[in-house]
Amino acid sequence: LTGGPDLTLTAISTTTSAVAPGGTLPVSTTAKNQGTVSSAGFTIGFSLSPDPVSGGAGDIPMTAVRNVSSLAAGASSTASTTLTVPTTAPTGTYYVCGTADRNGAVAESSETNNGLCTTTTLTVAQPDLVLTQLSGPPSSFTGAVVALNSSVTNQGPTAASRFYVAFYLSPDAAI
């Protein structure tokens, strides 16, 4: 198609550096129509990619999209979209990628320049909870109430949701 719209992403970024599977992150994108004709409405789709190239076989698609109603020739549109990392996403390091006109709804003069990935990576990780302190009496007897003090530290890069600490009696210090 000669002289039509040409949709591309000129910027994509996030302020989030680590997130747990199922967690959310804000992503800012700027879409531009660098063609000579106005574009009809289109969607920007998102994915996590193990490399800085959008559309690879290892990309993990995300369900959220950004809808752009139309874009005049030479015009740009910037907005933020909240993305949810799939709960099935493996832990690891990823780039966040976006693709203008993800579904190919707009006939463009170039269909090969629609994707862009962040320049920084996002870590998908679980919390890492560690019992760092436990104290109580050195001995007790059957039926007695025992007061224990404990501390838990999250050594992981992502926040932990609600959790419980359970205690049990052992005849020795081994767990």
Side-chain angles (χ1 to χ4, degrees):
L1 178 67
T2 304
D6 184 13
L7 304 172
T8 186
L9 291 184
T10 59
I12 183 169
S13 63
T14 182
T15 56
T16 303
S17 60
V19 65
T24 61
L25 65 146
V27 174
S28 175
T29 54
T30 300
K32 181 173 183 176
N33 178 0
Q34 58 189 24
T36 58
V37 175
S38 291
S39 165
F42 62 95
T43 60
I44 298 171
F46 298 94
S47 63
L48 297 175
S49 177
D51 56 56
V53 179
S54 179
D59 288 8
I60 300 169
M62 301 173 97
T63 56
V65 296
R66 177 180 160 215
N67 293 306
V68 180
S69 60
S70 64
L71 206 52
S76 294
S77 170
T78 301
S80 184
T81 306
T82 299
L83 305 180
T84 301
V85 174
T87 57
T88 57
T91 58
T93 303
Y94 299 94
Y95 294 87
V96 180
C97 301
T99 304
D101 193 28
R102 173 180 77 168
N103 299 325
V106 177
E108 300 178 61
S109 58
S110 174
E111 298 283 356
T112 62
N113 60 352
N114 294 30
L116 185 66
C117 298
T118 55
T119 57
T120 58
T121 57
L122 172 75
T123 300
V124 175
Q126 297 286 355
D128 183 10
L129 302 176
V130 177
L131 184 67
T132 55
Q133 185 267 330
L134 176 61
S135 63
S139 64
S140 187
F141 57 90
T142 303
V145 174
V146 177
L148 301 173
N149 294 310
S150 65
S151 294
V152 175
T153 300
N154 181 2
Q155 296 178 338
T158 59
S161 59
R162 184 175 176 174
F163 64 92
Y164 296 94
V165 177
F167 301 102
Y168 63 94
L169 298 176
S170 175
D172 55 39
I175 296 178

